[in-house]
Every structure is written in structure tokens, then in C-alpha cells.
Amino acid sequence: MSRFCLPRDIYHGKGCLEELKNLKGKKAILVVGGGSMKRQGFLDKAVSYLKEAGMQVELFEGVEPDPSVETVMKGAEAMRVFEPDWIVSMGGGSPIDAAKAMWAFYEYPEVTFDDLCKPFNFPELRQKAKFVAIPSTSGTATEVTAFSVITNYQTGVKYPLADFNITPDIAILDPELVTGLPVKQVAYTGMDALTHAIEAYVSTLNGPFTDPLALQAIEMVFDYLPASYHCNMEAREQMHYAQCLAGMAFSNALLGIVHSMAHKTGAAFSTGHIPHGCANAIYLPYVIQYNAKDKVAAKRYAEIARRMGLAGTSEKALINSLVAKIHEFNVALQIPRTLQEFGIQEDEFKEKVTNIAELAVGDACTGSNPRSITPSEMEQLLICTYYGTEVDF
């Protein structure tokens, strides 16, 4: 038996942030990130709408990019003191992901982080609060997914938390929130959305409910990401919806080893954090080459290429066209082609790659990848992504 789970309500369209004033409750805690929502006036709007709904409002501000276990625990403590019946999170993937984890610790203080790291092991939520997610970037789709990614900076490892319990009750997709996105963020989040859709389509858990969403999302990214990057606001709006469709697909079909690799390399190197969408964009073409050795995956990659109108009649030619198209997008979006080009030092990469490979194989996303992979194969694959060599194993 399979399950398909989405938020009960998804509001979309310019100005739909106003839907907050129709919530029914007594107290709302608003979880946000580093300040962009405040600077652009959206935080004040959200607070005003919640107060118009008759609620007492408290803010939890300053959630960092790639939120830490420590931030999650601080937020959960703030919730236990305030006792909200609505948790509202607005911003990029980081504050929404953090708020999802805070939610679990708020309702179940005795739960440990290790407990939540086991896939689909969350206790039953909504005992104290419901959840509203309002994305201000167009990539993670965490507003419609059963996932949260939390970083343990003591170990340098990102942990994907997975459970249908943390699928938000309400998602509010207001395109006005993404009009001010920096173009680099447009590039990274757009390629994150593309990776979500492609991985969902070839996942071992793909199905008739997820396939149409994944294909539509891929088509919309191909159509709108370049224009969105060049500040066309109509394209920005369509990308905001495309990434949500991709999220609906991967939340139910799951992902693959592009994400396994991104999770385990994002905070691994001393030269600096690799933004998640940037890591996905670098790894995606190499993973397609690796997975295409599997007959079922090869057929599905070719289907994507054919649907997108890419060149080729044979399966191999179509897959090559898909890989080339992704490289073309990375060039146009000024995303590095390799980890070496990104700036990771060769000596440190060589020192850490074996351990990173083992961690990546153990990542929760590896299980639904269409082709199995061993730690030694993962190490080879990471080496290909470092030097830009073709994957031929």
C-alpha cells in the first residue's frame, strides 16, 4: 500500500498571505529567519493578519541557514513557555524546516533528536498546535512536504527528518514574497526544485499520483527558471508554483542520491558551506549518468528528455541531451560544474571523501534511488563530481 499526503489547504496567488487573518485560534508563534521578511515588510503584515484573527502573537526570529539542533531546541522551549495553538513559519526552507522540528519537541519534550532521525518515527502531532508554512524562496517546497533537514554542527552532518506528521496543515504560496530574491538564490533554489522533480520521477517509489506532478514541475522549471533568474516577475510566480509541484511529487515518491550527497557534503568542508541547491545542481548530471546504467531509470530519464523536447531518438542520446541541458542551465545560472571549481581544497577532499561516501550511502534518501550504490561506488562518484570526469561505472 502507498500513501499520498499533502496539506489540507494550499492558497496561491498574489496577496494570499492575507489568508492568515482567517485562522481560528488563541495564540500563534511566528518562526522566521535572518530578517529579509522583516526588511520587506512581510513580517509586519503577517503579525497584523494574525492579530486581526484575534490571536496573541509571539516571534521567534533568527533561524540560521541550515538550522542547527541547538536552534530547534531553543524554539521548542519558547513554544513550551508560550503554548501556541498555531505554529506559523515564514521564510526560506530553513525557518520552516526548523519550525517543523520545534513542533515535535514542543508537543513531546521527552523525544530525542535520535528518535526523530529514524524515518517515519515521529509521535502523533497536532495535540497542541497546527502548522502553517509560508515560503519566501522557490525551491525547497518544505511547505508541502513530510521532510525537514536539521544540521548537527558538532559532526558537520545534515540529518533529513521524515514523517507525514510534519506535512503542514496549510501552505500559503504568495508570489509577492519572492519578488526580492537575489539572483544567486533564484539559481540555487530553482535547481533544487528541478532536482526534486527529476529524482521523484525516477525514484523507486514513483507512481501515478506523483509522475504528473514531477513532469509538470520539470517542464515549468525548464520554461521559467532562466527568465526568473533575469528578474521577470511573471516567471518568478510560475517558479514559485513549479517548486511546490515538485515538492508534492518528492514528498510522496521520495528522492535519491543527489540529495544523499548534498546532505553529507553541505557542511563537511572547512572552505565553507555548500548551499544545498548549488550542491544538487553540481551533482545532478553525474548522478543521472550513474543511474542511467539501470534499465528502468534509463527509460524514465529518456521519458523526461522526450517530454521536454530535447534532441535524440535513442534512449542514450536522449539521456545525453538531458545531462547536457542541465550543464547548460548551470553555466547560464553561474553555478560551478565541479566541487573543485566551487573551491573545495583537493587535499581536504581526498582526506574526507571516504567517510563522506559512507555517510551518503547511509542517508535516508539513498533507499529510493533507482540504482543501488556501495560506499566504494559512492566514493568514485564523488571523485567524478570533484574533477568533472564522466561517470562510466
Side-chain angles (χ1 to χ4, degrees):
M1 182 182 75
S2 299
R3 181 179 178 183
F4 186 81
C5 182
L6 296 175
R8 177 172 176 171
D9 292 296
I10 300 172
Y11 296 97
H12 57 93
K14 292 176 183 176
C16 67
L17 181 64
E18 191 173 357
E19 188 57 33
L20 288 173
K21 68 184 182 183
N22 294 322
L23 296 184
K24 303 289 190 289
K26 295 179 180 178
K27 292 182 178 180
I29 190 166
L30 187 50
V31 180
V32 293
S36 64
M37 291 294 93
K38 179 182 282 187
R39 289 191 298 273
Q40 295 177 55
F42 294 115
L43 181 58
D44 286 344
K45 276 188 178 181
V47 170
S48 176
Y49 291 145
L50 289 167
K51 287 182 176 178
E52 196 172 334
M55 284 194 264
Q56 185 180 343
V57 182
E58 181 162 305
L59 298 180
F60 184 89
E61 300 180 80
V63 175
E64 72 273 42
D66 298 310
S68 64
V69 176
E70 290 76 14
T71 295
V72 167
M73 295 308 181
K74 286 178 187 173
E77 178 59 29
M79 290 176 187
R80 286 194 288 271
V81 171
F82 183 59
E83 298 184 328
D85 44 12
W86 281 101
I87 298 167
V88 180
S89 189
M90 179 168 65
S94 295
I96 297 174
D97 277 7
K100 287 178 173 180
M102 292 171 189
W103 187 15
F105 290 112
Y106 164 47
E107 297 205 355
Y108 294 91
E110 70 282 1
V111 165
T112 68
F113 187 70
D114 285 343
D115 289 335
L116 301 187
C117 285
K118 298 170 188 170
F120 300 93
N121 191 51
F122 274 61
E124 195 69 30
L125 297 181
R126 296 168 180 80
Q127 308 305 304
K128 296 179 181 178
K130 291 182 179 179
F131 195 98
V132 181
I134 309 165
S136 67
T137 61
S138 302
T140 70
T142 189
E143 73 277 2
V144 293
T145 74
F147 302 104
S148 164
V149 180
I150 306 299
T151 301
N152 184 335
Y153 284 95
Q154 304 304 313
T155 61
V157 174
K158 292 185 177 184
Y159 293 94
L161 312 180
D163 198 287
F164 287 118
N165 265 289
I166 57 172
T167 304
D169 297 281
I170 297 173
I172 295 177
L173 290 147
D174 190 333
E176 291 182 350
L177 272 67
V178 298
T179 56
L181 279 178
V183 292
K184 185 173 282 190
Q185 204 168 4
V186 170
Y188 293 166
T189 56
M191 292 305 291
D192 191 20
L194 181 63
T195 305
H196 289 157
I198 290 176
E199 289 211 294
Y201 192 72
V202 301
S203 159
T204 56
L205 296 174
N206 70 72
F209 292 92
T210 59
D211 282 354
L213 293 165
L215 286 172
Q216 179 66 15
I218 295 166
E219 187 168 343
M220 290 176 74
V221 172
F222 275 32
D223 285 347
Y224 295 111
L225 181 54
S228 176
Y229 180 71
H230 290 291
C231 300
N232 178 305
M233 292 306 150
E234 289 183 11
R236 286 265 172 107
E237 179 173 357
Q238 294 305 312
M239 276 301 303
H240 207 41
Y241 304 151
Q243 63 87 32
C244 185
L245 293 173
M248 295 178 194
F250 89 78
S251 185
N252 292 279
L254 305 187
L255 292 163
I257 59 173
V258 176
H259 275 76
S260 302
M261 295 159 73
H263 291 151
K264 299 316 187 235
T265 53
F269 299 106
S270 61
T271 42
H273 164 252
I274 308 172
H276 178 69
C278 178
N280 281 341
I282 292 171
Y283 299 144
L284 181 58
Y286 303 96
V287 168
I288 291 173
Q289 290 178 338
Y290 175 82
N291 283 341
K293 301 294 191 294
D294 176 89
K295 288 183 180 180
V296 175
K299 180 183 177 186
R300 292 184 77 80
Y301 286 130
E303 286 170 357
I304 291 171
R306 196 175 291 113
R307 166 78 180 258
M308 301 309 130
L310 301 182
T313 52
S314 71
E315 203 169 75
K316 185 176 181 181
L318 286 163
I319 294 167
N320 287 341
S321 289
L322 180 61
V323 169
K325 185 69 173 178
I326 294 164
H327 279 309
E328 180 187 312
F329 261 58
N330 285 344
V331 170
L333 299 171
Q334 299 187 41
I335 294 172
R337 187 184 178 99
T338 66
L339 288 178
Q340 187 174 45
E341 190 181 324
F342 180 83
I344 305 303
Q345 297 298 316
E346 188 173 27
D347 288 348
E348 186 180 12
F349 175 79
K350 287 179 175 178
E351 177 190 336
K352 293 182 174 179
V353 66
T354 301
N355 183 56
I356 290 170
E358 290 176 2
L359 291 171
V361 170
D363 187 88
C365 292
T366 301
S368 47
N369 193 67
R371 182 184 173 194
S372 63
I373 191 165
T374 65
S376 63
E377 288 169 334
M378 179 64 80
E379 185 171 346
Q380 282 182 267
L381 183 56
L382 283 161
I383 290 168
C384 289
T385 70
Y386 186 83
Y387 295 104
T389 51
E390 190 168 336
V391 179
D392 59 358
F393 58 91

